[in-house]
Structures are given as C-alpha cells and as structure tokens.
Amino acid sequence: MSENSQFRFPGATGVGSLPGGDAREAAKTATGSFEDFPFLPELPARGPGADMIGRTAGMLVELYARVEPSGWRIGDRPGRDTKRARSWLGEDLDALEEFTQGYAGDLKVQAVGPWTLAAALELKNGEAALSDPGACRDLAASLAEGLRLHLAEVRRRVPDARIVLQLDEPSLTAVLRGQVRTASGYRTHRAVDRQIVEATLRDVVGAHGGGPVVVHSCAPDVPFALLRRAGAAAVSFDFSLLTERDDDAIGEAVEAGTRLFAGVVPGTEGPLSDPAGSVMGVRTLWRRLGLHPGLLAEAVTVTPACGLAGASPAYARQALAHCVRAARSLADNPE
C-alpha cells in the first residue's frame, strides 16, 4: 500500500457545481445531503467569476485575469472580474461556515488544476498559457500559493474539519495528447511532456501540506497511473466513460491505496435507477479485476458523473441523495 492508503473517505459526496445562484441554498443542499462529506458548492449560473476558471483565477497570487470576448485573459492588475470572483467565493465561504458550525468530518473544496488552467487562461497575445512553458511554471506557482491561502481560510472557518482538496483537470488528457486548440482553431498546442505534467501536479498537490487531494476529470482516458504518482490520494471520474483498457490502471491504483470517486449518478436530468442499479457497474468492474468485495466500500466513494450546474435544483438534490443511497447499497452488499 502507498502513502495514499492512510486516507479513508466517506461513501458519497458531490463533484462541485450546483444550479442556481443562492449561496445559502447551495450550502444548505451540500451540507444537508452529506452528513459526513459535504463540499463547498460552486454556482456558475451567477456568471463570469463564478465559473470554475474565473473562480480559480480569483485565487491566484500576483497574477490576475479578466474576461475578454474569447475567455479569461491574464492581465497586469486586479480588475472588476477578479474582485467579483473573490466576492462570490467569500459569499460561498460565509454560507458554508454558517451551515458547518461544530462540524468535524471531511469537507471537500474544489479548484481548477494547473494544466486545465493553463489550457483555459490566455496570455496577452491571445494564445493559451499552455503555449509558453515559463507561463505554465508561473501559473502553477501562483496557483499553489493561492491554494495555500484558500485552504488556510477554509480551516479558519471550519476548524475541526479535515479538508479534502479537489483539483479539476478535465483538459489534462488533451494537454498530454496535444489536442488543445490554438487561438486560430486550425492547429493544436504540442503535447506537454508527461514528466513535466506529473512534476507540476505534484507541486500543486503539495500545496495542501500532506492533506488528501482528489483529482477530478469527467473526460475519457483519465491517466490514473500519472495522477497516483503525482500524489493524488483519490481520482474522481465519470464511470460511464471507462473502458476495459482502463482495467489495469484502475486495478493498480486500488492496490496502491488510491481511492476511486466513481461518478455513477447522471449529472443531467433524467430518471434514476434504483440505488443498487447505479453501482452495479462498479461491482462488475470489481469482479472483472478480481478484487476482494470487502475492499469496495473502503476504495470507492460514489458521486455524480460530473457537476450538477445544468440540472434543476430539484434534480440536483435528488441526485445527491441518490449518491448516499447507492453508497449504502455498495457497503451493505458488496457482492
């Protein structure tokens, strides 16, 4: 077992985003749905600065970003977009603090990881920061420092919680494969060397000072082995995108003590199966890998497939409650 095996996580949690724009309502949902693993909600419907890129750009230290017609662009000084992002994050933290008085369990907070941020943030010339290795290094260092400050603030507000940091990296596979498009759209940025990707992730994971870090991607072909080597205690993914090609990497990750945050509950509106049906694929995977059924509840946390920003508030609440029931089904009947 690796050093990651020291971390045990509860059976279910959310991914991050919720519908609507009411911070108190979102905090009430996120804390009320998960008694032992609530999360700090993100509400992108509020507009630029509440979206995942803008929210994380607002956390950066000595780097600032503003909204341009083409997206978020790095600028020289904090403007109204940075101020708005920080103001909304403060509002979300106020609401979370209100609903976690006396709370002493796991608490998850999310931020965009360094490679998705480098693929999304533009330099002054309009190209992604990904095009410039020096810009990527500066961005990762700024992000690591910003995360240290953010995590310290969360600890101050919810002092008895164990903070779990989730890094959202939906663009990671595209970065590794050279599939991120240039500003013109006609070419793609060259693939980044895997060792550089891994080392940068390890540095940002280190911002949590040895605390547990989950890396989330709802894209296909999640690089499980790379994330494990970079220090992720858990990998969060859309279970429906797995193929049998992923089996070996998943088996190795589980045996090394890496937790799987399995996104088995649809993030968009639709009928939900019974809780046991939602985790049937997880049980099938376990049998295929020849893993001990008793490990299931220890190794798997049930989540929605991705964020719930596009769902109705009623469905979002239903999906989160369904995750809890599905996790209970997995624990009660691992076979």
Side-chain angles (χ1 to χ4, degrees):
M1 286 278 175
S2 77
E3 63 193 28
N4 289 336
S5 61
Q6 69 185 283
F7 298 119
R8 290 280 172 262
F9 298 98
T13 190
V15 170
S17 66
L18 290 176
D22 186 325
R24 289 187 77 256
E25 190 57 40
K28 186 178 175 185
T29 297
T31 55
S33 300
F34 303 106
E35 288 179 7
D36 53 2
F37 205 176
F39 61 97
L40 174 65
E42 299 163 3
L43 300 173
R46 291 182 295 197
D51 60 298
M52 60 190 269
I53 299 297
R55 185 182 184 91
T56 302
M59 295 180 193
L60 297 174
V61 172
E62 293 180 4
L63 278 180
Y64 310 101
R66 63 178 186 273
V67 180
E68 297 284 341
S70 53
W72 284 90
R73 182 170 295 184
I74 295 171
D76 296 324
R77 60 184 66 85
R80 65 179 183 191
D81 297 320
T82 298
K83 288 173 185 155
R84 187 167 51 212
R86 290 176 176 173
S87 169
W88 272 328
L89 179 57
E91 201 178 291
D92 294 337
L93 287 168
D94 288 345
L96 182 76
E97 185 177 1
E98 179 185 341
F99 286 98
T100 50
Q101 293 294 311
Y103 178 70
D106 286 296
L107 171 65
K108 185 164 70 67
V109 299
Q110 306 81 221
V112 175
W115 293 109
T116 296
L117 206 57
L121 284 183
E122 298 173 359
L123 301 172
K124 288 173 190 171
N125 65 5
E127 285 296 351
L130 188 65
S131 64
D132 181 334
C136 289
R137 283 193 297 274
D138 291 346
L139 192 55
S142 173
L143 174 62
E145 189 53 37
L147 287 173
R148 282 187 197 98
L149 296 172
H150 175 54
L151 292 164
E153 175 66 8
V154 177
R155 275 192 288 271
R156 186 183 70 74
R157 290 169 177 265
V158 196
D160 295 323
R162 179 178 75 158
I163 311 300
V164 178
L165 171 62
Q166 176 179 304
L167 295 174
D168 292 319
E169 282 284 16
S171 301
L172 183 58
T173 302
V175 167
L176 287 165
R177 293 184 173 177
Q179 294 171 338
V180 177
R181 297 212 161 272
T182 57
S184 69
Y186 294 124
R187 294 185 305 110
T188 55
H189 295 289
R190 67 176 57 177
V192 181
D193 181 271
R194 294 181 81 86
Q195 288 181 314
I196 292 172
V197 169
E198 185 182 319
T200 302
L201 274 168
R202 190 180 297 111
D203 288 345
V204 176
V205 165
H208 196 8
V213 177
V214 183
V215 179
H216 168 72
S217 172
C218 43
D221 299 319
V222 175
F224 287 91
L226 183 151
L227 296 175
R228 179 165 53 86
R229 290 194 304 270
V235 180
S236 170
F237 56 95
D238 180 343
F239 192 85
S240 71
L241 298 179
L242 288 185
T243 69
E244 292 197 15
R245 287 199 316 272
D246 297 305
D247 279 9
D248 287 348
I250 290 174
E252 285 169 17
V254 171
E255 286 175 351
T258 306
R259 181 88 176 192
L260 305 179
F261 280 43
V264 298
V265 177
T268 49
E269 218 89 9
L272 292 169
S273 72
D274 66 298
S278 293
V279 288
M280 189 165 61
V282 180
R283 291 191 181 97
T284 303
L285 171 68
W286 230 244
R287 282 196 293 273
R288 201 164 69 227
L289 295 177
L291 293 167
H292 191 277
L295 265 180
L296 255 178
E298 265 182 48
V300 176
T301 292
V302 176
T303 72
C306 212
L308 292 165
S312 69
Y315 177 79
R317 287 191 295 271
Q318 190 185 355
L320 297 180
H322 193 83
C323 289
V324 174
R325 289 195 292 271
R328 200 170 295 134
S329 163
L330 209 52
D332 292 347
N333 183 18
E335 306 280 356

